[in-house]
Amino acid sequence: MDLLSNLALAGGLAWASGIRLYATLFIAGLLGRLGYVTLPSGLEVLSHNWVLVTAGVLMAGECLADKIPVFDSVWDSVHTFIRIPVGTLLAWGVFKNSGADEQIAAALLGGAVVTGTHLAKSGTRALINTSPEPFSNWGASATEDISLLGILYLAWQHPLVLLIVLALFMALICWLLPKIVRGLRIMVTCLRKLATT
């Protein structure tokens, strides 16, 4: 794989991990196992039996948890401590056989992408959960599922397109995150006022 492809794969896996970690692990491992894609040597472990079984079971749990309003926010909170390090490791794994400078750059890129994606996803879902109807939650979940598949497709089939879309997405995140934080602060303030009355 050339540098552009590796960079797209590292960014794509980190991006997808911030949305659906276990689905990313399972799909990447399964595609590698079936020979549809060639996994870098640092990620070949994803195609091993026990990794596929574990990722598959956790993917099913993640899919169910993500469809339940409020519980999805609890799930996202707990997974802050899982998605971010694993997404960073996936980006590093793409460059496992490269020099230390490329490995560190990939880990930094992956860490920034997965953190931004995870925070935007979890913050947006927390705001959506203030709506009493479940349809907006289900719609957001379905959009995330489709986005995940699109990201992984572009990472392997159209790396340059993925890198352009990823750069635009990260610019959107930089603009969006302060607004999400403001919305969450307003929501917490309102909940505190309700609790004291």
Side-chain angles (χ1 to χ4, degrees):
M1 294 178 89
D2 62 5
L3 181 60
L4 180 75
S5 298
N6 281 340
L7 192 59
L9 185 57
L13 289 173
W15 189 5
S17 295
I19 298 170
R20 296 269 191 277
L21 172 62
Y22 304 118
T24 301
L25 296 172
F26 181 78
I27 292 168
L30 186 62
L31 290 174
R33 178 68 171 268
L34 297 175
Y36 290 117
V37 299
T38 303
L39 294 173
S41 62
L43 299 180
E44 286 176 352
V45 69
L46 297 179
S47 63
H48 292 185
N49 289 338
W50 284 109
V51 176
L52 283 171
V53 169
T54 304
V57 169
L58 290 169
M59 177 182 70
E62 181 177 51
C63 184
L64 178 63
D66 201 62
K67 306 296 187 277
I68 303 170
V70 180
F71 185 74
D72 65 334
S73 290
V74 174
W75 180 272
D76 284 340
S77 297
V78 171
H79 279 80
T80 299
F81 306 102
I82 301 170
R83 282 185 192 140
I84 294 172
V86 174
T88 303
L89 283 173
L90 287 173
W92 174 84
V94 172
F95 286 88
K96 181 183 176 197
N97 293 331
S98 302
D101 55 341
E102 290 178 344
Q103 291 174 1
I104 291 171
L108 291 172
L109 168 71
V113 170
V114 71
T115 301
T117 304
H118 170 71
L119 292 176
K121 174 195 184 309
S122 57
T124 302
R125 294 302 286 273
L127 291 173
I128 288 173
N129 283 331
T130 60
S131 171
E133 46 78 29
F135 302 110
S136 54
N137 187 287
W138 296 339
S141 182
T143 301
E144 291 163 3
D145 293 338
I146 293 166
S147 298
L148 166 79
L149 295 174
I151 290 165
L152 294 177
Y153 172 77
L154 290 176
W156 273 296
Q157 299 301 319
H158 304 285
L160 182 58
V161 174
L162 179 110
L163 290 172
I164 292 168
V165 173
L166 179 57
L168 293 172
F169 176 77
M170 292 309 291
L172 175 66
I173 292 295
C174 290
W175 176 79
L176 193 61
L177 274 179
K179 291 165 179 36
I180 292 171
V181 170
R182 257 194 313 275
L184 290 173
R185 283 184 184 154
I186 291 168
M187 186 177 74
V188 168
T189 302
C190 290
L191 288 174
R192 283 185 183 157
K193 285 179 183 177
L194 285 173
T196 58
T197 57

